[in-house]
Amino acid sequence: VKQRQLPDGSFSGDEWGEVDTRFSYCALACLSILKKLDQIDLDKAAEFILECKNFDGGFGAVPGAESHAGYIWTAVASLAIINKMHLLGRAEWDKLAWWLAERQCDSGGLNGRPEKQADVCYSWWALSTLHLLERSKWIDSERLVNFIYKCQDPETGGIADRPENVGDVYHTFFGLAALVHLT
């Protein structure tokens, strides 16, 4: 994992060099679990993550990429793991939380970016980030719970991305994970 950190503080996912905040999050989480965060340059890691911050308060996968709820989670959770959330500043927490709260759709579910449909997986990505920002009350939790329940597949019991779709392991996992925060 240590060898995957690049000079700009980012982490490549493999020897072919793909870089984005998912790999930063995975690397930092692994090193934290192993109690080896001292093996990498944490300041550079935070610097790369902050370079991915956008004018709208969100974070993209890489500098200049569109804000996306999944990448916001990887960025904010990475900063939390390395105790650098303070680098965002409390005013920025509100701007970011507003962006995430705006992801709640008429259905009660959350989408990952503007003008997209709600998808159960974003119940986890957005809600968990709001939880880290201490702003989880900024969404209508009851409507979100109802959305997740409507996505449960009556035949298999799994949870789908949207109501009336077929459940799958991915959305079941993230739907259940979100319900832990909500109930």
Side-chain angles (χ1 to χ4, degrees):
V1 174
K2 175 183 171 181
Q3 294 173 352
R4 299 272 55 102
Q5 189 173 32
L6 303 175
D8 69 353
S10 67
F11 287 83
S12 63
D14 54 36
E15 64 188 78
W16 293 279
E18 182 181 7
V19 169
D20 70 48
T21 58
R22 292 175 301 169
F23 303 124
S24 295
Y25 170 73
C26 291
L28 295 170
C30 287
L31 292 170
S32 177
I33 290 167
L34 296 170
K35 300 194 182 327
K36 299 284 186 181
L37 285 170
D38 62 334
Q39 300 292 306
I40 59 164
D41 188 334
L42 297 177
D43 291 332
K44 289 298 266 182
E47 192 176 300
F48 170 75
I49 292 163
L50 292 172
E51 286 291 318
C52 297
K53 189 169 173 302
N54 291 319
F55 70 93
D56 60 9
F59 287 84
V62 294
E66 176 184 19
S67 294
H68 185 282
Y71 291 114
I72 291 170
W73 161 256
T74 60
V76 174
S78 293
L79 293 173
I81 288 169
I82 61 175
N83 296 313
K84 297 212 181 263
M85 293 269 295
H86 65 278
L87 296 176
L88 285 176
R90 289 297 233 183
E92 290 299 310
W93 286 27
D94 284 347
K95 188 174 182 180
L96 179 53
W98 171 85
W99 192 93
L100 290 165
E102 286 291 309
R103 304 285 54 81
Q104 191 156 35
C105 302
D106 292 342
S107 65
L110 299 166
N111 64 26
R113 40 198 177 124
E115 305 302 322
K116 297 293 182 180
Q117 291 184 12
D119 182 321
V120 162
C121 67
Y122 297 113
S123 302
W124 161 259
W125 301 118
L127 184 62
S128 295
T129 307
L130 286 167
H131 185 77
L132 285 176
L133 297 170
E134 302 168 3
R135 308 288 192 281
S136 55
K137 302 279 188 226
W138 286 24
I139 60 159
D140 186 332
S141 297
E142 185 176 333
R143 287 180 54 229
L144 182 54
V145 168
N146 288 334
F147 175 79
I148 296 169
Y149 287 156
K150 286 179 186 173
C151 294
Q152 185 174 7
D153 187 320
E155 294 177 27
T156 66
I159 298 173
D161 58 345
R162 295 180 186 87
E164 300 181 25
N165 285 355
V166 177
D168 60 66
V169 173
Y170 180 84
H171 290 93
T172 299
F173 173 81
F174 286 111
L176 292 173
L179 287 171
V180 168
H181 281 303
L182 294 163
T183 56

